[in-house]
């Protein structure tokens, strides 16, 4: 996308051609069809069950703007819901940061869930299907790992937890 | 967002109309159980067509709803799980074990009618 696009203008057809080229370039750079710049990250503070819904809805919008299918957007929104719920359940508060990724050649989405809660004592154990310290299903973290393409977790006891996940457009 | 619960003969129909918070889901659980008791319903349909997704909390709550209503001697059927929602549930590892599901309201009603016939 480095190169400039020149459109010679001498007739009304050129006008249409020029604006179409402009639109294509804008979309390629990562503007959404509605015109919003996708460069900027979206931060959603998380401290209640309403924030969980808010975060997953914002995640879905960004995913759709990046060009993910509605099905893929649902996978991403589901992962966000699980990560946000873990913040509410275990850390009381934190944030979800959503960002469109448009480094060539792939488009994608990155979600960071961050809190300063109690941290996870044994990460390996927490990533196992069915492990839960709260008597819940224990499918959140391992499920998020399956839903997304990349998964990183960093957690320190009494310091907090950060989970970073990415999904790439096929 | 409150979920409207409609009484139709021996059955109750709860139609979810938008994304639900955890509190909304728990409220639905309580309201449905109360209504089943009050109306002496034989069956319940929960229509989730408009639900944005079903994460682990929603699945667990749905499962609890089904089990609690079953203990009252009534049947529940979940209708309208969208294909992409189902796909995400499978990836998460959610199975909705022992929960009856049907394609839509019509099939859900057919299922309940058949069930209550075999019981009585
Ligand atoms: N943000 C977090 N802060 C502290 N502990 C967490 C956090 N997220 C997850 N955990 C721990 O990891 C376990 C597994 O999480 P998860 O897979 O989401 O299952 P569940 O939430 O159903 O227990 C939790 O029971 C909890 O002990
Ligand atoms: Mg969890």
């Amino acid at each position: 996308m480095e190169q400039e696009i020149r459109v010679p203008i001498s007739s009304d057809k050129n006008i249409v051609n020029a604006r179409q080229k402009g639109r294509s370039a804008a979309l390629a750079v990562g503007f959404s069809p509605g015109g919003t710049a996708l460069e900027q990250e979206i931060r959603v503070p998380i401290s209640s069950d309403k924030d969980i819904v808010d975060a997953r809805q914002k995640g879905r919008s960004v995913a759709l703007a990046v060009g993910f299918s509605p099905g893929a957007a649902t996978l991403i929104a589901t992962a966000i819901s699980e990560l946000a719920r873990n913040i509410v359940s275990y850390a009381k508060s934190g944030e979800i940061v959503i960002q469109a990724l448009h480094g060539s050649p792939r488009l994608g989405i990155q979600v960071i869930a961050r809190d300063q809660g109690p941290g996870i004592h044994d990460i390996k154990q927490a990533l196992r299907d069915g492990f839960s310290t709260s008597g819940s299903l224990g499918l959140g973290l391992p499920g998020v790992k399956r839903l997304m393409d990349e998964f990183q977790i960093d957690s320190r006891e009494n310091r907090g937890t950060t989970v970073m996940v990415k999904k790439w457009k096929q | 967002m409150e979920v409207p619960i409609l009484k139709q003969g021996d059955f109750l129909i709860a139609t979810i109309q938008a994304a639900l918070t955890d509190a909304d889901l728990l409220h639905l659980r309580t309201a449905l159980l109360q209504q089943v008791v009050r109306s002496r319903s034989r069956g319940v349909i929960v229509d989730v067509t408009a639900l944005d997704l079903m994460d682990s909390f929603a699945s667990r709550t749905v499962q609890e709803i089904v089990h609690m209503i079953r203990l009252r001697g009534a049947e529940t059927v979940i209708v309208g799980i969208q294909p992409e929602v189902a796909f995400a549930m499978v990836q998460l590892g959610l199975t909705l074990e022992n929960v009856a599901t049907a394609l839509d309201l019509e099939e859900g009603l057919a299922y309940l009618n058949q069930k209550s016939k075999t019981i009585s």
Side-chain angles (χ1 to χ4, degrees):
Chain A
M1 288 308 301
E2 294 298 324
Q3 123 221 32
E4 61 183 30
I5 297 167
R6 282 165 189 268
V7 189
I9 304 292
S10 64
S11 78
D12 55 351
K13 279 214 189 73
N14 301 148
I15 301 173
V16 174
N17 188 235
R19 71 182 190 225
Q20 282 171 346
K21 293 229 160 85
R23 176 189 298 272
S24 309
L27 291 172
V29 168
F31 283 87
S32 76
T36 1
L38 288 172
E39 299 289 336
Q40 186 187 352
E41 59 184 27
I42 293 175
R43 283 171 184 270
V44 189
I46 305 291
S47 65
S48 79
D49 62 337
K50 283 201 182 72
D51 300 330
I52 299 174
V53 174
D54 188 29
R56 76 189 191 213
Q57 286 178 338
K58 290 197 165 124
R60 182 190 298 273
S61 308
V62 173
L64 291 173
V66 168
F68 281 100
S69 68
T74 299
L75 300 182
I76 293 160
T78 305
I80 293 174
S81 198
E82 292 296 333
L83 293 174
R85 170 158 302 98
N86 280 353
I87 292 176
V88 175
S89 301
Y90 306 113
K92 303 271 186 288
S93 68
E95 66 174 356
I96 296 277
V97 185
I98 304 159
Q99 171 132 50
L101 301 173
H102 27 70
S104 57
R106 288 188 297 180
L107 295 176
I109 189 168
Q110 172 182 285
V111 178
I112 296 173
R114 190 185 288 133
D115 67 64
Q116 265 105 55
I120 298 174
H121 174 66
D122 182 343
I123 292 180
K124 237 182 165 169
Q125 195 176 41
L127 285 172
R128 218 173 287 147
D129 273 328
F131 175 82
S132 174
T133 55
S134 66
S136 113
L137 295 176
L139 293 171
L141 290 176
V144 168
K145 205 172 164 185
R146 285 189 288 267
L147 287 165
M148 305 295 283
D149 294 329
E150 290 181 33
F151 179 99
Q152 277 176 48
I153 182 164
D154 177 36
S155 186
R156 267 159 239 187
E157 274 191 283
N158 303 317
R159 296 281 292 280
T161 302
T162 301
V163 182
M164 188 185 74
V165 294
K166 289 179 188 167
K167 195 169 186 71
W168 300 105
K169 230 188 116 211
Q170 303 309 331
Chain B
M1 166 74 51
E2 197 153 325
V3 178
I5 301 172
L6 224 92
K7 188 171 179 314
Q8 187 167 327
D10 283 343
F11 304 145
L12 295 177
I13 302 172
T15 310
I16 295 173
Q17 286 167 326
L20 296 184
T21 64
D22 298 357
D24 295 333
L25 278 161
L26 295 176
H27 184 263
L28 173 65
R29 189 183 68 184
T30 313
L32 265 179
L33 196 66
Q34 280 174 351
Q35 276 268 24
V36 165
V37 171
R38 197 178 312 138
S39 321
R40 304 180 66 81
S41 306
R42 305 292 305 268
V44 174
I45 294 179
V46 181
D47 187 349
V48 300
T49 308
L51 200 59
D52 62 333
L53 56 83
M54 228 193 253
D55 62 8
S56 60
F57 186 85
S59 293
R60 189 163 76 128
T61 310
V62 163
Q63 215 143 12
E64 284 169 359
I65 288 173
V66 171
H67 293 166
M68 287 162 85
I69 290 174
R70 190 170 292 150
L71 289 172
R72 275 293 304 179
E75 273 300 316
T76 306
V77 56
I78 310 299
V79 306
I81 297 180
Q82 295 304 295
E84 65 257 33
V85 173
F87 187 56
M89 289 172 70
V90 169
Q91 299 243 302
L92 257 188
L94 300 168
T95 49
L96 280 190
E97 258 168 85
N98 299 316
V99 174
T101 55
L103 204 58
D104 53 23
L105 206 57
E106 205 176 319
E107 292 206 359
L109 277 168
Y111 171 85
L112 287 182
N113 273 318
Q114 202 194 346
K115 272 271 168 184
S116 52
K117 237 181 262 156
T118 52
I119 294 168
S120 52

